[in-house]
Amino acid sequence: MREILGRRRKFSLRRGARSPLLRAALTCATEWQWPVVPGVGLRSGGGRPRVCGCPDPECAVPGGHPFDPVLLAATTDERMVRWWWSNRPSAPLLLATGGRAPCAVSLPAVAGARALAVFDRAGVRLGPVVATPTRWSLLVEPYSLEDLGELLNQQDWVPSSLRFHGEGGYVVLPPSQTGPGRVRWERPPLRRSGQPWLPQVATVVNALVEASTSAPDGGSRLAY
């Protein structure tokens, strides 16, 4: 009976969710319990089709950041998610990282592609990987700032190109469109039931450091 009710609920969540972004937001919020919020999005103007919808004409991350509502409004509530994307069906989908939600480690796109190839050869298991034309984000289990600080202190050197998205941060999820271009899954979430599987941040950071410092010529495989 529970299984039947669960199937009916999933069907009802998708019913009327004609926007791909709304469907994705409902999956994240209600099935995976990942808190989400719409991004500011893009607007056309001055012959430049990818101008950020925020007031800053020189925005560094056009379209792909929270504005109104702010990041603190991120939620898993179905009604709120439906309201947001029903009113703004093209709004980028933002995951509020940290707490009980996934965190992420990101790096430049070229370095990310190289790193994944190294990981595959080494047999390192990864979770979902989000790709944009400029940066790739590897989703990991939630971690605290204290956990991250202790992990980084254990390393002799960490690539300066890495960024860490923890408590108070966010990651743009597919199928969003931002200034740099389309956001997609390079490695889609894998799940048999419940939430997608995520690796620990230590696994990812240790592998990235190893990949970056083990180039035969003494350089970095993560150079870009």
Side-chain angles (χ1 to χ4, degrees):
M1 179 61 72
R2 288 183 179 178
E3 183 178 354
I4 293 174
L5 291 174
R7 289 177 179 174
R8 287 179 178 173
R9 174 172 171 75
K10 288 181 181 179
F11 176 77
S12 67
L13 290 178
R14 291 183 172 85
R15 186 173 55 195
R18 289 173 292 179
S19 162
L21 281 158
L22 173 55
R23 290 197 298 269
L26 287 172
T27 296
C28 291
T30 62
E31 294 186 30
W32 301 346
Q33 292 297 294
W34 292 1
V36 297
V37 68
V40 65
L42 301 170
R43 59 181 173 84
S44 298
R48 299 168 57 194
R50 293 180 176 176
V51 177
C52 188
C54 75
D56 183 1
E58 303 298 328
C59 181
V61 284
H65 67 88
F67 179 63
D68 183 17
V70 296
L71 187 63
L72 289 175
T75 184
T76 59
D77 181 75
E78 177 190 347
R79 292 172 298 178
M80 195 72 251
V81 170
R82 281 189 179 277
W83 189 85
W84 279 334
W85 273 275
S86 294
N87 285 278
R88 298 178 54 213
S90 63
L93 172 59
L94 306 186
L95 164 68
T97 55
R100 295 183 179 180
C103 293
V105 180
S106 71
L107 64 167
V110 173
R114 291 172 179 166
L116 261 61
V118 174
F119 290 176
D120 289 343
R121 290 195 295 269
V124 177
R125 185 185 180 192
L126 293 176
V129 178
V130 179
T132 75
T134 55
R135 293 191 74 83
W136 287 16
S137 299
L138 287 62
L139 300 190
V140 298
E141 287 186 354
Y143 59 75
S144 67
L145 291 178
E146 291 78 11
D147 294 336
L148 180 62
E150 183 176 347
L151 172 62
L152 297 181
N153 284 335
Q154 294 172 358
Q155 309 293 335
D156 293 330
W157 177 79
V158 176
S160 60
S161 60
L162 298 186
R163 295 178 188 168
F164 298 93
H165 308 259
E167 188 78 32
Y170 64 90
V171 172
V172 186
L173 295 182
S176 302
Q177 178 77 39
T178 65
R182 180 71 62 181
V183 182
R184 61 180 177 83
W185 291 113
E186 175 64 24
R187 299 285 172 89
L190 299 178
R191 59 194 178 99
R192 291 192 176 96
S193 62
Q195 297 180 333
W197 180 85
L198 300 169
Q200 294 183 346
V201 65
T203 300
V204 170
V205 169
N206 290 338
L208 285 171
V209 171
E210 175 65 22
S212 184
T213 58
S214 61
D217 61 358
S220 172
R221 282 195 175 97
L222 303 190
Y224 65 101

